[in-house]
């Protein structure tokens, strides 16, 4: 007994909607903008809202410790996604999520030296 075709379409659409809502999918080509920190999304030659990537300050994490790094999108823009950066392979990002109008990453340093983490946000507007 199979799932009726209509239910399959709803599941696919629901999955695509969740991906878009989570900032995981951008289905328009990008072209360079005047600001080197941003790009302008275009579709069929029509300019959309500009995108920018914002990188937060580095947060030091001692060996065996955990740290939290944040970054906020500029006023007038909206966070659409994000992630994080680490300074070495022995520090692990354990959480990455939107918070307010910015992005938060948490990291755990499993190495023997101080390492850093940074939050990165993708902003539109």
């Amino acid at each position: 007994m199979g799932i009726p075709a209509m239910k399959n379409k709803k599941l696919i659409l629901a999955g695509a909607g969740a991906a878009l809502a989570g900032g995981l999918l951008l289905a328009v080509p990008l072209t360079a903008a005047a600001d080197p920190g941003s790009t302008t999304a275009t579709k069929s030659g029509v300019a959309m809202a500009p995108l920018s990537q914002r990188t937060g300050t580095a947060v030091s994490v001692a060996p065996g410790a955990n740290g939290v790094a944040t970054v906020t999108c500029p006023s007038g823009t909206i966070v659409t996604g994000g992630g994080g950066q680490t300074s070495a392979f022995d520090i692990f990002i354990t959480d990455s999520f939107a918070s307010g109008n910015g992005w938060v990453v948490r990291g755990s340093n499993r190495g023997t030296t101080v390492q850093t983490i940074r939050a990165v946000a993708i902003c539109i507007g």
Side-chain angles (χ1 to χ4, degrees):
M1 176 181 240
I3 298 174
M6 189 61 176
K7 285 189 180 180
N8 286 339
K9 289 179 184 175
K10 287 181 181 176
L11 290 175
I12 291 169
L13 291 174
L20 285 169
L24 302 174
L25 181 64
L26 180 61
V28 293
L30 300 177
T31 58
D35 178 2
S38 68
T39 57
T40 300
T42 63
K43 183 172 177 103
S44 302
V46 177
M48 308 295 275
L51 296 174
S52 63
Q53 176 176 310
R54 302 294 179 203
T55 302
T57 58
V59 173
S60 295
V61 183
N66 300 310
V68 177
T70 63
V71 64
T72 303
C73 288
S75 178
T77 65
I78 299 169
V79 66
T80 62
Q85 301 171 339
T86 64
S87 61
F89 66 89
D90 52 1
I91 185 166
F92 300 92
I93 292 179
T94 57
D95 294 294
S96 179
F97 55 92
S99 177
N101 197 34
W103 205 262
V104 176
V105 291
R106 294 181 184 148
S108 179
N109 185 351
R110 298 298 176 214
T112 58
T113 61
V114 174
Q115 300 296 334
T116 62
I117 59 173
R118 293 178 189 257
V120 177
I122 306 299
C123 311
I124 190 168

